[in-house]
Amino acid sequence: MKILIMNGPNLNLLGEREPGIYGSESLDSINADLAKRAAKLGVDTEFYQSNHEGALIDKLHAARGVFDAIVLNAGAYTHYSIAIRDAIAAIKLPVVEVHLSNIHARESFRENSVIAPVCAGQISGFGSYSYTLGLYAAIDKAKK
Ligand code: DQA
């Protein structure tokens, strides 16, 4: 089984970016932890981050036939990218939406996720642990 963990804009700055909201852990450190947890379960992982909408869409398309499920933090694109929403709907792979912060407890413009209706589910508000939960949810979905 192979799981893709994808991150969108500004998530490369985790650790230094608004640590009061997003925590002090870097993306590399979060990814290393996920790779270790997945390996213990015999699951392969790949990690991808881009600040560009089209690059994220290209990666979603390229995931077809290669990965069994995807964990995606689309960052701010979550709230307005119909193009990413359509890509998720097109690829027919289970995508687990994750957020470090609780998007329902912040500014009103973050409350709506345009990708949520085409994702398998949403995990939001548990800091870096959201990715851990997302990984386990993705593995479970991929098995079914
Ligand atoms: C985020 C929440 C988004 O609203 C924000 O734009 C991000 C990060 C999160 O992980 O909490 O970049 O997806």
Side-chain angles (χ1 to χ4, degrees):
M1 184 188 298
K2 209 166 172 194
I3 307 285
L4 173 63
I5 290 111
M6 286 183 72
N7 280 278
N10 302 306
L11 292 159
N12 54 311
L13 298 184
L14 280 183
E16 56 179 283
R17 172 195 183 201
E18 301 183 87
I21 297 172
Y22 299 116
S24 52
E25 212 175 333
S26 70
L27 187 58
D28 280 351
S29 153
I30 291 171
N31 286 348
D33 178 71
L34 293 174
K36 227 187 280 174
R37 286 175 190 273
K40 272 189 198 156
L41 299 170
V43 170
D44 287 335
T45 44
E46 187 180 308
F47 299 91
Y48 181 80
Q49 189 277 329
S50 177
N51 294 318
H52 304 279
E53 186 178 25
L56 291 163
I57 291 165
D58 286 344
K59 190 65 184 177
L60 286 166
H61 292 180
R64 282 144 60 233
V66 178
F67 294 95
D68 300 292
I70 299 174
V71 177
L72 172 65
N73 185 347
Y77 286 139
T78 302
H79 313 298
Y80 67 92
S81 176
I82 307 298
I84 289 178
R85 180 229 176 268
D86 286 352
I88 294 168
I91 62 172
K92 295 186 202 128
L93 277 174
V95 175
V96 180
E97 175 186 355
V98 302
H99 302 283
L100 295 130
S101 64
N102 180 354
I103 60 169
H104 303 286
R106 299 182 60 194
E107 301 98 327
S108 58
F109 63 82
R110 290 185 208 276
E111 259 174 60
N112 186 45
S113 164
V114 299
I115 67 170
V118 291
C119 285
Q122 183 190 75
I123 297 164
S124 179
F126 299 97
S128 60
Y129 195 59
S130 288
Y131 288 95
T132 309
L133 295 170
L135 173 69
Y136 293 148
I139 292 170
D140 187 63
K141 274 283 167 191
K143 277 186 191 155
K144 285 171 183 164

PDB file of all heavy atoms in Angstrom, residues 7-11 14 17 21-22 73-79 98-103 106-107 109-111 123-125 127 130-131, ligand 1:
ATOM      1  N   ASN A   7       0.908  18.665   0.816  1.00  0.00           N
ATOM      2  CA  ASN A   7       0.702  19.945   1.490  1.00  0.00           C
ATOM      3  C   ASN A   7       0.726  21.089   0.493  1.00  0.00           C
ATOM      4  O   ASN A   7       1.568  21.121  -0.413  1.00  0.00           O
ATOM      5  CB  ASN A   7       1.797  20.163   2.546  1.00  0.00           C
ATOM      6  CG  ASN A   7       1.499  19.406   3.817  1.00  0.00           C
ATOM      7  OD1 ASN A   7       0.719  19.869   4.656  1.00  0.00           O
ATOM      8  ND2 ASN A   7       2.083  18.228   3.952  1.00  0.00           N
ATOM      9  N   GLY A   8      -0.177  22.030   0.706  1.00  0.00           N
ATOM     10  CA  GLY A   8      -0.295  23.179  -0.169  1.00  0.00           C
ATOM     11  C   GLY A   8       0.457  24.395   0.337  1.00  0.00           C
ATOM     12  O   GLY A   8       1.424  24.275   1.106  1.00  0.00           O
ATOM     13  N   PRO A   9       0.020  25.576  -0.078  1.00  0.00           N
ATOM     14  CA  PRO A   9       0.784  26.807   0.120  1.00  0.00           C
ATOM     15  C   PRO A   9       1.059  27.165   1.580  1.00  0.00           C
ATOM     16  O   PRO A   9       0.206  26.990   2.446  1.00  0.00           O
ATOM     17  CB  PRO A   9      -0.102  27.889  -0.528  1.00  0.00           C
ATOM     18  CG  PRO A   9      -1.450  27.276  -0.645  1.00  0.00           C
ATOM     19  CD  PRO A   9      -1.235  25.805  -0.792  1.00  0.00           C
ATOM     20  N   ASN A  10       2.272  27.636   1.782  1.00  0.00           N
ATOM     21  CA  ASN A  10       2.771  28.158   3.060  1.00  0.00           C
ATOM     22  C   ASN A  10       3.069  27.087   4.109  1.00  0.00           C
ATOM     23  O   ASN A  10       3.609  27.393   5.165  1.00  0.00           O
ATOM     24  CB  ASN A  10       1.810  29.214   3.644  1.00  0.00           C
ATOM     25  CG  ASN A  10       1.606  30.372   2.692  1.00  0.00           C
ATOM     26  OD1 ASN A  10       2.587  30.972   2.256  1.00  0.00           O
ATOM     27  ND2 ASN A  10       0.376  30.675   2.338  1.00  0.00           N
ATOM     28  N   LEU A  11       2.737  25.838   3.804  1.00  0.00           N
ATOM     29  CA  LEU A  11       2.964  24.790   4.804  1.00  0.00           C
ATOM     30  C   LEU A  11       4.431  24.379   4.857  1.00  0.00           C
ATOM     31  O   LEU A  11       4.866  23.749   5.809  1.00  0.00           O
ATOM     32  CB  LEU A  11       2.020  23.616   4.555  1.00  0.00           C
ATOM     33  CG  LEU A  11       0.575  24.064   4.859  1.00  0.00           C
ATOM     34  CD1 LEU A  11      -0.446  23.187   4.176  1.00  0.00           C
ATOM     35  CD2 LEU A  11       0.320  24.133   6.353  1.00  0.00           C
ATOM     36  N   LEU A  14       6.043  25.700   8.076  1.00  0.00           N
ATOM     37  CA  LEU A  14       5.609  25.233   9.396  1.00  0.00           C
ATOM     38  C   LEU A  14       6.787  25.255  10.367  1.00  0.00           C
ATOM     39  O   LEU A  14       7.899  24.873  10.005  1.00  0.00           O
ATOM     40  CB  LEU A  14       5.042  23.808   9.312  1.00  0.00           C
ATOM     41  CG  LEU A  14       3.604  23.672   8.828  1.00  0.00           C
ATOM     42  CD1 LEU A  14       3.181  22.203   8.865  1.00  0.00           C
ATOM     43  CD2 LEU A  14       2.656  24.534   9.650  1.00  0.00           C
ATOM     44  N   ARG A  17       6.032  29.682  10.890  1.00  0.00           N
ATOM     45  CA  ARG A  17       4.837  30.415  10.472  1.00  0.00           C
ATOM     46  C   ARG A  17       3.788  30.405  11.587  1.00  0.00           C
ATOM     47  O   ARG A  17       3.283  29.333  11.956  1.00  0.00           O
ATOM     48  CB  ARG A  17       4.264  29.714   9.236  1.00  0.00           C
ATOM     49  CG  ARG A  17       2.938  30.228   8.795  1.00  0.00           C
ATOM     50  CD  ARG A  17       2.272  29.263   7.818  1.00  0.00           C
ATOM     51  NE  ARG A  17       1.015  29.835   7.367  1.00  0.00           N
ATOM     52  CZ  ARG A  17       0.027  29.151   6.848  1.00  0.00           C
ATOM     53  NH1 ARG A  17       0.136  27.849   6.677  1.00  0.00           N
ATOM     54  NH2 ARG A  17      -1.082  29.744   6.487  1.00  0.00           N
ATOM     55  N   ILE A  21      -0.639  29.370  16.139  1.00  0.00           N
ATOM     56  CA  ILE A  21      -1.771  28.714  15.460  1.00  0.00           C
ATOM     57  C   ILE A  21      -1.375  27.340  14.932  1.00  0.00           C
ATOM     58  O   ILE A  21      -2.115  26.366  15.082  1.00  0.00           O
ATOM     59  CB  ILE A  21      -2.281  29.591  14.281  1.00  0.00           C
ATOM     60  CG1 ILE A  21      -2.827  30.921  14.810  1.00  0.00           C
ATOM     61  CG2 ILE A  21      -3.363  28.848  13.471  1.00  0.00           C
ATOM     62  CD1 ILE A  21      -3.184  31.921  13.716  1.00  0.00           C
ATOM     63  N   TYR A  22      -0.175  27.278  14.322  1.00  0.00           N
ATOM     64  CA  TYR A  22       0.185  26.049  13.605  1.00  0.00           C
ATOM     65  C   TYR A  22       1.236  25.183  14.316  1.00  0.00           C
ATOM     66  O   TYR A  22       1.595  24.118  13.812  1.00  0.00           O
ATOM     67  CB  TYR A  22       0.672  26.404  12.191  1.00  0.00           C
ATOM     68  CG  TYR A  22      -0.394  27.110  11.369  1.00  0.00           C
ATOM     69  CD1 TYR A  22      -0.222  28.425  10.923  1.00  0.00           C
ATOM     70  CD2 TYR A  22      -1.584  26.464  11.058  1.00  0.00           C
ATOM     71  CE1 TYR A  22      -1.198  29.071  10.180  1.00  0.00           C
ATOM     72  CE2 TYR A  22      -2.572  27.109  10.326  1.00  0.00           C
ATOM     73  CZ  TYR A  22      -2.374  28.399   9.887  1.00  0.00           C
ATOM     74  OH  TYR A  22      -3.367  29.031   9.154  1.00  0.00           O
ATOM     75  N   ASN A  73      -3.434  18.464   3.023  1.00  0.00           N
ATOM     76  CA  ASN A  73      -3.683  19.768   3.628  1.00  0.00           C
ATOM     77  C   ASN A  73      -3.500  20.782   2.498  1.00  0.00           C
ATOM     78  O   ASN A  73      -2.374  21.099   2.109  1.00  0.00           O
ATOM     79  CB  ASN A  73      -2.711  20.048   4.777  1.00  0.00           C
ATOM     80  CG  ASN A  73      -3.063  21.362   5.488  1.00  0.00           C
ATOM     81  OD1 ASN A  73      -3.866  22.158   4.990  1.00  0.00           O
ATOM     82  ND2 ASN A  73      -2.447  21.593   6.648  1.00  0.00           N
ATOM     83  N   ALA A  74      -4.612  21.255   1.972  1.00  0.00           N
ATOM     84  CA  ALA A  74      -4.559  22.164   0.820  1.00  0.00           C
ATOM     85  C   ALA A  74      -4.327  23.615   1.231  1.00  0.00           C
ATOM     86  O   ALA A  74      -4.338  24.507   0.370  1.00  0.00           O
ATOM     87  CB  ALA A  74      -5.841  22.029   0.002  1.00  0.00           C
ATOM     88  N   GLY A  75      -4.115  23.857   2.541  1.00  0.00           N
ATOM     89  CA  GLY A  75      -3.883  25.231   2.997  1.00  0.00           C
ATOM     90  C   GLY A  75      -5.045  26.122   2.603  1.00  0.00           C
ATOM     91  O   GLY A  75      -6.204  25.699   2.586  1.00  0.00           O
ATOM     92  N   ALA A  76      -4.739  27.354   2.226  1.00  0.00           N
ATOM     93  CA  ALA A  76      -5.801  28.316   1.896  1.00  0.00           C
ATOM     94  C   ALA A  76      -6.602  27.909   0.661  1.00  0.00           C
ATOM     95  O   ALA A  76      -7.767  28.313   0.522  1.00  0.00           O
ATOM     96  CB  ALA A  76      -5.194  29.700   1.697  1.00  0.00           C
ATOM     97  N   TYR A  77      -6.016  27.067  -0.211  1.00  0.00           N
ATOM     98  CA  TYR A  77      -6.784  26.607  -1.385  1.00  0.00           C
ATOM     99  C   TYR A  77      -8.056  25.857  -0.973  1.00  0.00           C
ATOM    100  O   TYR A  77      -9.013  25.780  -1.749  1.00  0.00           O
ATOM    101  CB  TYR A  77      -5.928  25.711  -2.278  1.00  0.00           C
ATOM    102  CG  TYR A  77      -4.881  26.441  -3.088  1.00  0.00           C
ATOM    103  CD1 TYR A  77      -3.607  25.908  -3.243  1.00  0.00           C
ATOM    104  CD2 TYR A  77      -5.183  27.642  -3.723  1.00  0.00           C
ATOM    105  CE1 TYR A  77      -2.643  26.571  -3.987  1.00  0.00           C
ATOM    106  CE2 TYR A  77      -4.221  28.305  -4.473  1.00  0.00           C
ATOM    107  CZ  TYR A  77      -2.951  27.766  -4.605  1.00  0.00           C
ATOM    108  OH  TYR A  77      -2.003  28.414  -5.352  1.00  0.00           O
ATOM    109  N   THR A  78      -8.012  25.279   0.228  1.00  0.00           N
ATOM    110  CA  THR A  78      -9.185  24.590   0.784  1.00  0.00           C
ATOM    111  C   THR A  78     -10.453  25.410   0.620  1.00  0.00           C
ATOM    112  O   THR A  78     -11.529  24.875   0.357  1.00  0.00           O
ATOM    113  CB  THR A  78      -8.966  24.388   2.316  1.00  0.00           C
ATOM    114  OG1 THR A  78      -7.768  23.639   2.511  1.00  0.00           O
ATOM    115  CG2 THR A  78     -10.145  23.700   2.965  1.00  0.00           C
ATOM    116  N   HIS A  79     -10.290  26.712   0.795  1.00  0.00           N
ATOM    117  CA  HIS A  79     -11.462  27.574   0.931  1.00  0.00           C
ATOM    118  C   HIS A  79     -11.978  28.127  -0.400  1.00  0.00           C
ATOM    119  O   HIS A  79     -13.083  28.653  -0.430  1.00  0.00           O
ATOM    120  CB  HIS A  79     -11.145  28.722   1.896  1.00  0.00           C
ATOM    121  CG  HIS A  79     -10.481  28.245   3.154  1.00  0.00           C
ATOM    122  ND1 HIS A  79     -11.102  27.382   4.034  1.00  0.00           N
ATOM    123  CD2 HIS A  79      -9.237  28.458   3.670  1.00  0.00           C
ATOM    124  CE1 HIS A  79     -10.275  27.100   5.030  1.00  0.00           C
ATOM    125  NE2 HIS A  79      -9.132  27.743   4.833  1.00  0.00           N
ATOM    126  N   VAL A  98      -6.975  17.309   5.798  1.00  0.00           N
ATOM    127  CA  VAL A  98      -6.489  17.586   7.154  1.00  0.00           C
ATOM    128  C   VAL A  98      -6.119  19.063   7.311  1.00  0.00           C
ATOM    129  O   VAL A  98      -5.712  19.735   6.346  1.00  0.00           O
ATOM    130  CB  VAL A  98      -5.260  16.710   7.558  1.00  0.00           C
ATOM    131  CG1 VAL A  98      -5.571  15.234   7.477  1.00  0.00           C
ATOM    132  CG2 VAL A  98      -4.030  17.032   6.746  1.00  0.00           C
ATOM    133  N   HIS A  99      -6.269  19.531   8.535  1.00  0.00           N
ATOM    134  CA  HIS A  99      -5.851  20.882   8.926  1.00  0.00           C
ATOM    135  C   HIS A  99      -5.272  20.832  10.326  1.00  0.00           C
ATOM    136  O   HIS A  99      -5.831  20.163  11.205  1.00  0.00           O
ATOM    137  CB  HIS A  99      -7.031  21.853   8.911  1.00  0.00           C
ATOM    138  CG  HIS A  99      -7.695  21.919   7.577  1.00  0.00           C
ATOM    139  ND1 HIS A  99      -7.150  22.623   6.519  1.00  0.00           N
ATOM    140  CD2 HIS A  99      -8.822  21.339   7.105  1.00  0.00           C
ATOM    141  CE1 HIS A  99      -7.934  22.467   5.460  1.00  0.00           C
ATOM    142  NE2 HIS A  99      -8.948  21.690   5.787  1.00  0.00           N
ATOM    143  N   LEU A 100      -4.188  21.569  10.505  1.00  0.00           N
ATOM    144  CA  LEU A 100      -3.605  21.668  11.853  1.00  0.00           C
ATOM    145  C   LEU A 100      -4.549  22.412  12.789  1.00  0.00           C
ATOM    146  O   LEU A 100      -4.805  21.996  13.911  1.00  0.00           O
ATOM    147  CB  LEU A 100      -2.263  22.414  11.781  1.00  0.00           C
ATOM    148  CG  LEU A 100      -1.165  21.720  10.992  1.00  0.00           C
ATOM    149  CD1 LEU A 100      -0.547  22.660   9.984  1.00  0.00           C
ATOM    150  CD2 LEU A 100      -0.112  21.186  11.917  1.00  0.00           C
ATOM    151  N   SER A 101      -5.051  23.553  12.310  1.00  0.00           N
ATOM    152  CA  SER A 101      -5.943  24.378  13.142  1.00  0.00           C
ATOM    153  C   SER A 101      -7.384  23.925  12.927  1.00  0.00           C
ATOM    154  O   SER A 101      -7.690  23.222  11.960  1.00  0.00           O
ATOM    155  CB  SER A 101      -5.785  25.852  12.752  1.00  0.00           C
ATOM    156  OG  SER A 101      -6.208  26.061  11.410  1.00  0.00           O
ATOM    157  N   ASN A 102      -8.246  24.329  13.848  1.00  0.00           N
ATOM    158  CA  ASN A 102      -9.676  24.044  13.698  1.00  0.00           C
ATOM    159  C   ASN A 102     -10.274  25.131  12.806  1.00  0.00           C
ATOM    160  O   ASN A 102     -10.545  26.240  13.258  1.00  0.00           O
ATOM    161  CB  ASN A 102     -10.357  24.023  15.070  1.00  0.00           C
ATOM    162  CG  ASN A 102     -11.844  23.726  14.953  1.00  0.00           C
ATOM    163  OD1 ASN A 102     -12.393  23.649  13.849  1.00  0.00           O
ATOM    164  ND2 ASN A 102     -12.492  23.558  16.081  1.00  0.00           N
ATOM    165  N   ILE A 103     -10.481  24.805  11.538  1.00  0.00           N
ATOM    166  CA  ILE A 103     -10.926  25.831  10.576  1.00  0.00           C
ATOM    167  C   ILE A 103     -12.331  26.337  10.886  1.00  0.00           C
ATOM    168  O   ILE A 103     -12.741  27.371  10.379  1.00  0.00           O
ATOM    169  CB  ILE A 103     -10.848  25.347   9.103  1.00  0.00           C
ATOM    170  CG1 ILE A 103     -11.720  24.111   8.851  1.00  0.00           C
ATOM    171  CG2 ILE A 103      -9.411  25.091   8.694  1.00  0.00           C
ATOM    172  CD1 ILE A 103     -11.872  23.756   7.363  1.00  0.00           C
ATOM    173  N   ARG A 106     -12.195  29.679  13.540  1.00  0.00           N
ATOM    174  CA  ARG A 106     -11.338  30.813  13.202  1.00  0.00           C
ATOM    175  C   ARG A 106     -12.136  31.864  12.417  1.00  0.00           C
ATOM    176  O   ARG A 106     -13.339  32.012  12.633  1.00  0.00           O
ATOM    177  CB  ARG A 106     -10.114  30.310  12.417  1.00  0.00           C
ATOM    178  CG  ARG A 106      -9.269  29.320  13.227  1.00  0.00           C
ATOM    179  CD  ARG A 106      -8.041  28.873  12.464  1.00  0.00           C
ATOM    180  NE  ARG A 106      -7.177  30.015  12.129  1.00  0.00           N
ATOM    181  CZ  ARG A 106      -6.182  29.954  11.233  1.00  0.00           C
ATOM    182  NH1 ARG A 106      -5.937  28.810  10.601  1.00  0.00           N
ATOM    183  NH2 ARG A 106      -5.439  31.004  10.977  1.00  0.00           N
ATOM    184  N   GLU A 107     -11.491  32.585  11.517  1.00  0.00           N
ATOM    185  CA  GLU A 107     -12.207  33.585  10.716  1.00  0.00           C
ATOM    186  C   GLU A 107     -13.295  32.884   9.901  1.00  0.00           C
ATOM    187  O   GLU A 107     -13.119  31.739   9.480  1.00  0.00           O
ATOM    188  CB  GLU A 107     -11.248  34.292   9.745  1.00  0.00           C
ATOM    189  CG  GLU A 107     -10.083  35.013  10.409  1.00  0.00           C
ATOM    190  CD  GLU A 107      -8.815  34.173  10.404  1.00  0.00           C
ATOM    191  OE1 GLU A 107      -8.901  32.922  10.498  1.00  0.00           O
ATOM    192  OE2 GLU A 107      -7.725  34.770  10.321  1.00  0.00           O
ATOM    193  N   PHE A 109     -14.120  33.180   6.874  1.00  0.00           N
ATOM    194  CA  PHE A 109     -13.754  32.749   5.523  1.00  0.00           C
ATOM    195  C   PHE A 109     -13.057  31.391   5.508  1.00  0.00           C
ATOM    196  O   PHE A 109     -12.904  30.783   4.452  1.00  0.00           O
ATOM    197  CB  PHE A 109     -12.903  33.813   4.805  1.00  0.00           C
ATOM    198  CG  PHE A 109     -11.568  34.106   5.453  1.00  0.00           C
ATOM    199  CD1 PHE A 109     -10.469  33.289   5.232  1.00  0.00           C
ATOM    200  CD2 PHE A 109     -11.411  35.226   6.269  1.00  0.00           C
ATOM    201  CE1 PHE A 109      -9.227  33.563   5.809  1.00  0.00           C
ATOM    202  CE2 PHE A 109     -10.170  35.506   6.860  1.00  0.00           C
ATOM    203  CZ  PHE A 109      -9.092  34.680   6.641  1.00  0.00           C
ATOM    204  N   ARG A 110     -12.619  30.916   6.685  1.00  0.00           N
ATOM    205  CA  ARG A 110     -11.971  29.589   6.731  1.00  0.00           C
ATOM    206  C   ARG A 110     -12.961  28.474   7.010  1.00  0.00           C
ATOM    207  O   ARG A 110     -12.635  27.291   6.919  1.00  0.00           O
ATOM    208  CB  ARG A 110     -10.888  29.558   7.826  1.00  0.00           C
ATOM    209  CG  ARG A 110      -9.693  30.392   7.494  1.00  0.00           C
ATOM    210  CD  ARG A 110      -8.608  30.215   8.554  1.00  0.00           C
ATOM    211  NE  ARG A 110      -7.801  31.405   8.622  1.00  0.00           N
ATOM    212  CZ  ARG A 110      -6.770  31.657   7.818  1.00  0.00           C
ATOM    213  NH1 ARG A 110      -6.407  30.793   6.901  1.00  0.00           N
ATOM    214  NH2 ARG A 110      -6.094  32.784   7.944  1.00  0.00           N
ATOM    215  N   GLU A 111     -14.165  28.841   7.398  1.00  0.00           N
ATOM    216  CA  GLU A 111     -15.141  27.822   7.807  1.00  0.00           C
ATOM    217  C   GLU A 111     -15.540  26.897   6.672  1.00  0.00           C
ATOM    218  O   GLU A 111     -15.766  25.716   6.875  1.00  0.00           O
ATOM    219  CB  GLU A 111     -16.394  28.497   8.352  1.00  0.00           C
ATOM    220  CG  GLU A 111     -16.443  28.517   9.852  1.00  0.00           C
ATOM    221  CD  GLU A 111     -17.617  29.319  10.345  1.00  0.00           C
ATOM    222  OE1 GLU A 111     -18.755  28.948  10.005  1.00  0.00           O
ATOM    223  OE2 GLU A 111     -17.385  30.329  11.025  1.00  0.00           O
ATOM    224  N   ILE A 123     -10.301  16.148   8.949  1.00  0.00           N
ATOM    225  CA  ILE A 123      -9.728  16.141  10.295  1.00  0.00           C
ATOM    226  C   ILE A 123      -9.124  17.515  10.523  1.00  0.00           C
ATOM    227  O   ILE A 123      -8.266  17.960   9.743  1.00  0.00           O
ATOM    228  CB  ILE A 123      -8.651  15.036  10.435  1.00  0.00           C
ATOM    229  CG1 ILE A 123      -9.296  13.654  10.228  1.00  0.00           C
ATOM    230  CG2 ILE A 123      -7.985  15.109  11.805  1.00  0.00           C
ATOM    231  CD1 ILE A 123      -8.312  12.545   9.964  1.00  0.00           C
ATOM    232  N   SER A 124      -9.559  18.195  11.568  1.00  0.00           N
ATOM    233  CA  SER A 124      -9.212  19.609  11.719  1.00  0.00           C
ATOM    234  C   SER A 124      -9.065  19.963  13.190  1.00  0.00           C
ATOM    235  O   SER A 124      -9.964  19.668  13.987  1.00  0.00           O
ATOM    236  CB  SER A 124     -10.355  20.432  11.086  1.00  0.00           C
ATOM    237  OG  SER A 124     -10.119  21.796  11.207  1.00  0.00           O
ATOM    238  N   GLY A 125      -7.924  20.563  13.540  1.00  0.00           N
ATOM    239  CA  GLY A 125      -7.815  21.127  14.890  1.00  0.00           C
ATOM    240  C   GLY A 125      -6.910  20.408  15.855  1.00  0.00           C
ATOM    241  O   GLY A 125      -6.822  20.803  17.019  1.00  0.00           O
ATOM    242  N   GLY A 127      -3.519  19.983  15.569  1.00  0.00           N
ATOM    243  CA  GLY A 127      -2.104  20.277  15.356  1.00  0.00           C
ATOM    244  C   GLY A 127      -1.483  19.219  14.463  1.00  0.00           C
ATOM    245  O   GLY A 127      -2.156  18.666  13.583  1.00  0.00           O
ATOM    246  N   SER A 130      -3.193  15.942  13.600  1.00  0.00           N
ATOM    247  CA  SER A 130      -4.190  15.829  12.523  1.00  0.00           C
ATOM    248  C   SER A 130      -3.636  14.971  11.379  1.00  0.00           C
ATOM    249  O   SER A 130      -4.373  14.203  10.753  1.00  0.00           O
ATOM    250  CB  SER A 130      -4.563  17.209  11.960  1.00  0.00           C
ATOM    251  OG  SER A 130      -5.352  17.937  12.867  1.00  0.00           O
ATOM    252  N   TYR A 131      -2.331  15.118  11.103  1.00  0.00           N
ATOM    253  CA  TYR A 131      -1.724  14.319  10.026  1.00  0.00           C
ATOM    254  C   TYR A 131      -1.667  12.837  10.407  1.00  0.00           C
ATOM    255  O   TYR A 131      -1.848  11.967   9.560  1.00  0.00           O
ATOM    256  CB  TYR A 131      -0.311  14.806   9.718  1.00  0.00           C
ATOM    257  CG  TYR A 131      -0.241  16.142   9.012  1.00  0.00           C
ATOM    258  CD1 TYR A 131      -0.055  17.318   9.731  1.00  0.00           C
ATOM    259  CD2 TYR A 131      -0.334  16.224   7.623  1.00  0.00           C
ATOM    260  CE1 TYR A 131       0.024  18.547   9.097  1.00  0.00           C
ATOM    261  CE2 TYR A 131      -0.247  17.452   6.971  1.00  0.00           C
ATOM    262  CZ  TYR A 131      -0.071  18.603   7.723  1.00  0.00           C
ATOM    263  OH  TYR A 131       0.009  19.818   7.080  1.00  0.00           O
TER     264      TYR A 131
HETATM  265  C1  DQA B   1      -4.690  25.255   7.349  1.00  0.00           C
HETATM  266  C2  DQA B   1      -5.878  26.202   7.562  1.00  0.00           C
HETATM  267  C3  DQA B   1      -6.053  27.136   6.371  1.00  0.00           C
HETATM  268  O1  DQA B   1      -7.148  28.033   6.607  1.00  0.00           O
HETATM  269  C4  DQA B   1      -4.795  27.971   6.174  1.00  0.00           C
HETATM  270  O2  DQA B   1      -4.932  28.792   5.048  1.00  0.00           O
HETATM  271  C5  DQA B   1      -3.573  27.144   6.100  1.00  0.00           C
HETATM  272  C6  DQA B   1      -3.417  26.025   7.031  1.00  0.00           C
HETATM  273  C7  DQA B   1      -4.406  24.394   8.594  1.00  0.00           C
HETATM  274  O3  DQA B   1      -3.676  23.414   8.459  1.00  0.00           O
HETATM  275  O4  DQA B   1      -4.877  24.695   9.682  1.00  0.00           O
HETATM  276  O5  DQA B   1      -2.658  27.428   5.343  1.00  0.00           O
HETATM  277  O6  DQA B   1      -4.996  24.375   6.270  1.00  0.00           O
END
